[in-house]
Amino acid sequence: MSERPRLTVLSGPSGVGKSTVVAHLRKEHPEVWLSVSATTRKPRPGEQHGVHYFFVTDDEMDKLIANGELLEWAEFAGNRYGTPRAAVVEHLEAGVPVLLEIDLQGARQVRESMPEAQLVFLAPPSWEELVRRLTGRGTEPPEVIERRLEAAKAELAAEPEFDATLVNTSVEDVASELLALMDVV
């Protein structure tokens, strides 16, 4: 009987391709459970409660935070997002590999609340490539791009805090490296 899987957290700077890697990995290995976040924001068209997010009220979110029921939580653009602890623990105890895709702040909180979790940093092939991805379509004003680049520098500096680093040169390669780290082969 193998030991139960560890929670694997995938983090890295904005624009590095976390969502793309996770989508590819889940297509190839649907048995990997991707943690579903709770959020106070309203559902967008097509989003389903319990599939894309758990949509909660501000009061419900306050209770989740106060009762320590979230592994991590953060506020973005006036809405709060968090990872419900119970669902993660239930899946791990059932032997299901669990993946959590979150930002650096969230990864640090998970390290505090679940120290046995495996934190994986997704790095860009180069700073130039990350700049290219973040400046992208050129539809955002220069000050927004500047803020994103400053944030990315700070996020890249956090790499030593992680257990492993994967460089996103190819989505397929990174997904298989991540599966290997998760012991899902």
Side-chain angles (χ1 to χ4, degrees):
M1 175 81 192
S2 68
E3 60 188 77
R4 74 176 201 185
R6 284 161 80 191
L7 169 64
T8 301
V9 174
L10 184 66
S11 193
S14 175
V16 78
K18 296 181 292 289
S19 306
T20 309
V21 168
V22 169
H24 179 80
L25 182 146
R26 298 244 13 266
K27 199 173 77 200
E28 304 287 317
H29 286 271
E31 73 274 18
V32 172
W33 187 71
L34 183 65
S35 175
V36 179
S37 297
T39 183
T40 55
R41 84 160 167 74
K42 300 289 174 256
R44 294 184 183 133
E47 286 183 333
Q48 295 171 293
H49 179 76
V51 175
H52 300 95
Y53 287 97
F54 293 109
F55 296 98
V56 297
T57 64
D58 275 315
D59 286 351
E60 288 169 327
M61 186 63 93
D62 290 341
K63 286 191 184 95
L64 290 171
I65 293 166
N67 296 334
E69 292 178 47
L70 298 176
L71 280 176
E72 58 82 34
W73 71 274
E75 190 164 332
F76 294 108
N79 294 303
R80 290 180 289 171
Y81 297 81
T83 303
R85 178 189 303 268
V88 167
V89 171
E90 280 165 26
H91 283 83
L92 290 172
E93 286 177 348
V96 176
V98 177
L99 183 59
L100 181 52
E101 177 208 327
I102 46 174
D103 70 351
L104 176 62
Q105 180 187 351
R108 286 174 169 153
Q109 289 181 42
V110 171
R111 169 72 83 217
E112 293 291 310
S113 59
M114 197 180 258
E116 71 276 14
Q118 170 174 238
L119 270 54
V120 179
F121 189 85
L122 188 61
S126 67
W127 171 250
E128 292 71 25
E129 175 62 17
L130 189 63
V131 169
R132 195 183 65 71
R133 291 179 190 178
L134 285 173
T135 52
R137 299 179 294 278
T139 51
E140 291 172 318
E143 61 274 12
V144 171
I145 290 169
E146 197 51 46
R147 275 202 309 272
R148 284 179 153 203
L149 294 175
E150 284 306 310
K153 278 183 194 152
E155 290 165 338
L156 284 171
E159 182 186 338
E161 298 173 33
F162 288 75
D163 302 312
T165 296
L166 300 177
V167 179
N168 193 5
T169 46
S170 134
V171 171
E172 292 78 10
D173 291 352
V174 170
S176 51
E177 289 166 15
L178 186 55
L179 286 163
L181 284 173
M182 295 177 75
D183 287 330
V184 179
V185 188

